[in-house]
Amino acid sequence: MAREFDLVVLGAGPVGENVVDRARAAGLEVAVVEHELVGGECSYWACVPSKSLLRSGAALRAARRVRGASGAVMGDVDVAETLARRDYWVSDWDDRNAADWLESVGAVLVRGHGRLDGERRVVVTPSGGGADEVLVARHAVAVCTGSEPVVPDVPGLADARPWISRDATGARSVPGRLAIIGGGVVAVEMAILYAGFGTRTTMIVRHGLLGGMEPFAGEAVAEGLRALGVELRQGASPVRVRRDDADAVVIELDDGESITADEVLVATGRRPRSTGIGVETVGLEPGSSIRVDDTLAVVDLDEASAADRDGAGGDRDGNERVPWLYAVGDVTGRASFTHQGKYQGRAAGDVIAARALGRPVDAGRYGVHTATADAVAVPSVVFADPEVASVGLTTAHAAARGLSVRTPEVAFSSVTGAGILADGFEGRARLVIDDERDVVVGATFVGQDVAELVHQATIAIVGEVPVRRLWHAVPAFPTLSEVWLRLLEADGRPEVGG
């Protein structure tokens, strides 16, 4: 016998939890299917463990940059205590509290591997064994299955037992030598972490670091990595990987040289987790991102699924939405960050409930049922040394969109608050300002502890605050936020009547 619910959610990570929370708040009956830990990748293997691990080294380095405190700092990072602190923040990989929360809001947790089986049907293979169970959704199914690491097709790499990000953040001991393939956020943060632990760390980077961000960000991070003793092999790619007789990893590069390490971490990106969840039964392509409109409803199924469409809305390109199927978070490929997925989850849970209950749907720009910010203001922080915080468009992205922009840029050495925070504070900040509308459309901050600056920029972008109005947002003295005044001064005072 099948069990029926108003909504069935595939995946109980942070994204699925937010969909559940909002749908339950509106009174829908909700089941959520999870085959691993409730709380998902972010809580146990990604954001939470990585940032808790990085904090110890960052605090130590920050103290060493302040006269009067630096002399009191003795020794290096306590690896055992840092790992123990990580264990606390991931609840020792025990999801009882998260599961209890689902129960407290009235959701039904079904443990097992779930897969779509046609319209409004989900088949679950129980984690503990036993017969498959069928869940039927009266109104909607939401796919919140996230993403997974990509291991490049380099000869020998898969057989060399490479680390992925989960291995790096979940390690119980620290290798003496670590090679990292990749130059993105995960690669940079894990290089910072393990170099701080005393591991001899080498990064193999085909192109520059932090591609897609302002170039000065990657350049500053490269300097910071080298200062920590990380060897950067830029412009190189692995062509063959193997384990030698001593079980060390040998990585042959395309420049004829090789690197030997105890472990190799592959950090070359992620792909949507849309394989093995039955998407082909509803006309979608396994392994691909699931296309959605701004209400997170799936659009653009194949012709065989046309009868399932109600024609009640669609995406910006006019593709019709499927009235019962939603996809939220990394699996959509829209904005692959936990915070952005949770934002999508809140919108999706609300709109699923509104449509199920026959309530009005606010699907306009910045409507309560839309994920407008995915295309406008996606904030991110790289917890490197120095930190990189950014939101919105880079200079290059703005040019690609055909915008005429101004890009005021200043060094943090001009900010008193920065100099008080750390002796010899180094870093830069840049705004990207749309000339036509005279509003900020992008911002990048590089330096110690700049992470908290990014939300100010996010508010300015989402609020479309005119630059002339920003002159009246007075930063407190002496703080890092003074950089906003310096940036406005670099842009120039507004003219009377302008």
Side-chain angles (χ1 to χ4, degrees), residues 138-177:
R138 300 185 192 99
H139 296 289
V141 175
V143 179
C144 308
T145 49
S147 60
E148 59 192 6
V150 174
V151 176
D153 188 21
V154 176
L157 180 58
D159 294 329
R161 306 190 310 276
W163 276 11
I164 57 174
S165 55
R166 285 191 175 195
D167 300 294
T169 60
R172 295 293 188 180
S173 59
V174 174
R177 301 167 297 177

Side-chain angles (χ1 to χ4, degrees), residues 283-348:
L284 295 172
E285 183 69 28
S288 299
S289 298
I290 300 177
R291 290 188 59 190
V292 295
D293 66 14
D294 283 349
T295 68
L296 291 311
V298 173
V299 296
D300 205 24
L301 298 188
D302 64 19
E303 292 182 3
S305 301
D308 294 338
R309 307 177 185 176
D310 66 355
D315 66 4
R316 297 188 189 94
D317 299 320
N319 296 302
E320 294 183 77
R321 66 175 177 84
V322 182
W324 62 272
L325 185 57
Y326 293 76
V328 194
D330 283 9
V331 75
T332 68
R334 286 171 63 103
S336 297
F337 295 96
T338 297
H339 47 272
Q340 216 67 23
K342 292 166 71 173
Y343 159 73
Q344 294 174 11
R346 293 189 290 272

Side-chain angles (χ1 to χ4, degrees), residues 439-452:
V439 296
V440 177
V441 294
T444 299
F445 306 95
V446 178
Q448 180 183 318
D449 295 339
V450 297
E452 300 303 332

Side-chain angles (χ1 to χ4, degrees), residues 45 73 138 168 205 247 268 270-271 325 341 426 435:
W45 298 288
V73 178
R138 300 185 192 99
V205 185
D247 202 36
T268 52
R270 301 178 69 86
R271 62 187 168 209
L325 185 57
E426 295 184 1
D435 257 338

